[in-house]
Amino acid sequence: MKEKFYIDFDSTLFDSNKYLHELNIICEKYKINKLELDEITNKIFKHHKDFFIDDLLKYLIEEKHIDNNIKEDFKILENTSFLYEDSILFLKNIQNKYNPILLTCGNISNQQKKIDACDIKKYFSNIIITPGNKSTVQEVEYQNSIFLDNNPKEVERFVSVGAKRVIRIKRDTDKYSKIPLKINGIEEYSSLYEVLEGLGIKQDEYLL
């Protein structure tokens, strides 16, 4: 039986910075600057305890009286893949050795839309979306599995619940990349190419 490999989505496979950058561009088109957008998203987050793009669109139209044409721009955003360039190659090359499971947190509908746009479901045996932290999900097998995540708090929690192997990806553009880990026993890499090498999958063995 293949070893279970739980893989994070945002800022691990999916370029969240690029996604938010494109969202900013759309809002600027309708005269909503970044500062104002931040204030609006904070209001939504405070009310829902999460960021939900449908609520943002509703707020912009109903409260800010933005032109309905913004719906088309949001639809394009939601149907665009923002995967990192190394994500698909990584997912292809762990299939033979591991049982990949996507483990992500956030608003279920919002996360599902982003995952669907990336067309990556075929690479996972299961997709788990949780509203809270990832170390308390009942269906996750922590002790006998590998975990890959960018968030320092999450990888530290995985260690605390007895994960077999924990890997942190520290991309240069990630907001968490400068935050040091507080505990030992966590591998760190700057790209998914490096993660593959750390897993013993060499470049000359890649499935392209």
Side-chain angles (χ1 to χ4, degrees):
M1 185 179 292
K2 294 179 184 176
E3 201 169 19
K4 289 186 177 179
F5 191 171
Y6 293 91
I7 300 165
D8 174 47
F9 182 65
D10 291 291
S11 298
T12 297
L13 300 173
F14 182 86
D15 191 340
S16 301
N17 286 336
K18 192 171 181 181
Y19 176 81
L20 293 173
H21 176 71
E22 293 300 319
L23 176 60
N24 280 322
I25 290 174
I26 291 170
C27 290
E28 286 173 0
K29 178 180 173 181
Y30 294 91
K31 311 302 181 186
I32 302 291
N33 62 39
K34 188 177 184 306
L35 180 61
E36 192 172 5
L37 178 60
D38 287 344
E39 290 174 354
I40 293 168
T41 54
N42 285 337
K43 279 183 183 179
I44 294 170
F45 190 89
K46 188 175 181 181
H47 185 262
H48 295 279
K49 306 301 180 188
D50 197 359
F51 172 74
F52 189 17
I53 198 163
D54 286 354
D55 288 321
L56 173 59
L57 179 59
K58 183 179 178 182
Y59 186 94
L60 291 174
I61 292 173
E62 295 182 0
E63 302 294 330
K64 304 299 290 185
H65 308 294
I66 300 298
D67 192 296
N68 271 311
N69 288 332
I70 197 173
K71 289 181 180 179
E72 288 304 311
D73 291 300
F74 268 57
K75 188 174 181 180
I76 292 170
L77 178 72
E78 289 178 350
N79 291 321
T80 301
S81 171
F82 291 97
L83 290 177
Y84 290 106
E85 64 174 5
D86 54 2
S87 295
I88 294 297
L89 185 140
F90 172 77
L91 292 173
K92 283 181 178 179
N93 282 278
I94 60 172
Q95 299 296 313
N96 290 335
K97 196 172 180 180
Y98 301 101
N99 174 13
I101 299 168
L102 191 64
L103 177 60
T104 180
C105 66
N107 179 280
I108 292 175
S109 177
N110 204 44
Q111 292 299 90
Q112 195 65 65
K113 286 179 181 180
K114 292 190 293 184
I115 293 165
D116 287 346
C118 294
D119 191 26
I120 56 172
K121 288 183 177 179
K122 58 193 171 189
Y123 296 110
F124 297 98
S125 64
N126 192 14
I127 293 174
I128 301 169
I129 304 173
T130 175
N133 75 65
K134 301 169 195 166
S135 61
T136 57
V137 182
Q138 190 171 0
E139 62 187 293
V140 173
E141 296 178 22
Y142 295 99
Q143 283 73 28
N144 300 309
S145 306
I146 302 174
F147 292 82
L148 171 65
D149 207 296
N150 71 301
N151 188 320
K153 287 185 178 179
E154 292 288 7
V155 294
E156 289 170 352
R157 289 188 189 117
F158 292 142
V159 171
S160 71
V161 294
K164 179 178 179 181
R165 185 175 181 182
V166 180
I167 303 168
R168 178 191 183 189
I169 184 164
K170 289 176 60 178
R171 297 184 185 275
D172 292 339
T173 55
D174 186 357
K175 64 181 180 180
Y176 296 123
S177 64
K178 304 300 181 186
I179 301 176
L181 294 172
K182 296 178 181 178
I183 61 175
N184 297 321
I186 299 168
E187 300 169 46
E188 293 185 289
Y189 302 101
S190 63
S191 73
L192 292 176
Y193 299 125
E194 289 185 8
V195 175
L196 284 174
E197 188 171 345
L199 294 169
I201 302 170
K202 304 300 182 184
Q203 189 171 353
D204 59 2
E205 301 171 351
Y206 284 174
L207 297 172
L208 302 175

